[in-house]
Amino acid sequence: MSLVDKVPEDFDYYAFSDQDDEWLDRKLEIAAEKLDIDAVLPELYCGRTKLVDEKNIDLGYSPHFKKNPCFRNALVQSIAGGNTMIFNRATRKIIIKTPVDKDIVSHDWWIYILVSGCGGRVIYDAEPTILYRQHQSNIIGANKSLVARLSRLLGVLDGRYRTWIQMNLEVLSIMDIELTDENKKILDRFVRARQSGLIQRIWLFSKIRLFRQTLFGSLAFLCAIMLNKV
């Protein structure tokens, strides 16, 4: 996040580069073709990755998320790694408003929340443009295996997921940004739902229609709502 603040403000686009990953041919060009250089609103390009190990052996792909990116999804799920992200100047202006003394869960999830919340355009590319290297030193991996999925489910049950949501909401509540009117209502109902008893919580969540991208994620999210772990 500090790097985004330190780079000059007069570039058309910005991209994160993780030094253990490998960009495929035309990565920047492909993103630039999908982004609108004249856009006034925030724009964010992101997408899938091709997974490889330390010796460049193919490990498959990250999950293919097919539902449209939006604030209803962003509040409860991150859909793409920062190493795939390219964004415009308007997005940078929003990112650097993040208070430096507050903790966020991850920069990629946070940027997805900000851009979608402000009515910006999020472009999710199903065609990978990077090789995402999986190795012993990964801080955060691809989260594709059954073990990783079970770990995420345990994270819901032991309260980690609720803690992450709370961290994001606390910073979002003090951000000097303009959410759309619809997203303000979604955020307000989400906050109230998390603080409500079981019946009202289920009713409020049904009204705001938050969602995750996969069937497994949707079932885990439903369990989290019932157990007040969101």
Side-chain angles (χ1 to χ4, degrees):
M1 298 296 288
S2 64
L3 290 174
V4 178
D5 188 40
K6 286 181 171 64
V7 293
E9 63 182 15
D10 55 349
F11 290 109
D12 293 322
Y13 300 120
Y14 301 83
F16 293 113
S17 176
D18 291 9
Q19 296 305 303
D20 55 348
D21 301 323
E22 181 179 339
W23 287 8
L24 299 177
D25 291 343
R26 299 184 64 246
K27 170 183 166 59
L28 295 177
E29 185 179 356
I30 289 169
E33 289 172 352
K34 295 179 181 294
L35 294 163
D36 180 3
I37 197 168
D38 297 318
V40 176
L41 290 175
E43 289 201 332
L44 171 67
Y45 169 92
C46 59
R48 296 180 76 193
T49 58
K50 185 174 182 180
L51 311 176
V52 296
D53 68 7
E54 293 165 323
K55 298 180 180 179
N56 258 22
I57 295 175
D58 190 350
L59 299 177
Y61 295 90
S62 63
H64 179 191
F65 297 136
K66 299 181 180 180
K67 299 177 183 177
N68 288 334
C70 65
F71 193 56
R72 282 187 167 90
N73 178 223
L75 282 173
V76 295
Q77 182 182 18
S78 178
I79 62 170
N83 53 6
T84 71
M85 290 183 168
I86 300 171
F87 50 90
N88 65 353
R89 201 177 305 169
T91 295
R92 177 189 175 274
K93 289 180 179 178
I94 294 175
I95 294 172
I96 62 176
K97 291 184 177 183
T98 305
V100 295
D101 60 337
K102 298 296 182 181
D103 289 331
I104 56 171
V105 180
S106 63
H107 66 291
D108 38 28
W109 188 5
W110 183 241
I111 293 170
Y112 179 30
I113 291 172
L114 294 181
V115 174
S116 61
C118 292
R121 188 165 71 109
V122 179
I123 304 160
Y124 177 83
D125 195 345
E127 187 64 32
T129 58
I130 76 162
L131 303 182
Y132 184 10
R133 199 170 307 284
Q134 307 295 295
H135 54 76
Q136 295 298 321
S137 300
N138 275 105
I139 296 175
I140 300 175
N143 291 326
K144 184 184 177 185
S145 68
L146 178 59
V147 172
R149 291 180 179 180
L150 291 175
S151 176
R152 291 202 300 277
L153 181 58
L154 290 174
V156 169
L157 298 177
D158 68 13
R160 277 177 290 167
Y161 183 58
R162 182 175 173 82
T163 298
W164 294 341
I165 296 290
Q166 183 63 33
M167 289 170 63
N168 286 336
L169 291 179
E170 286 180 359
V171 183
L172 195 58
S173 69
I174 59 173
M175 284 285 288
D176 179 24
I177 58 173
E178 286 294 327
L179 299 179
T180 66
D181 289 342
E182 180 184 7
N183 288 337
K184 286 178 183 177
K185 293 177 183 178
I186 291 171
L187 181 60
D188 178 64
R189 287 180 175 177
F190 184 36
V191 171
R192 286 193 291 126
R194 297 178 75 245
Q195 300 169 347
S196 300
L198 178 62
I199 302 302
Q200 186 179 22
R201 184 166 67 247
I202 293 173
W203 181 79
L204 285 170
F205 272 113
S206 70
K207 289 294 184 182
I208 53 181
R209 304 192 310 278
L210 303 182
F211 68 91
R212 290 178 63 91
Q213 291 281 340
T214 65
L215 177 60
F216 183 88
S218 298
L219 293 174
F221 184 56
L222 180 59
C223 289
I225 292 173
M226 301 295 290
L227 298 172
N228 199 22
K229 298 292 186 179
V230 178

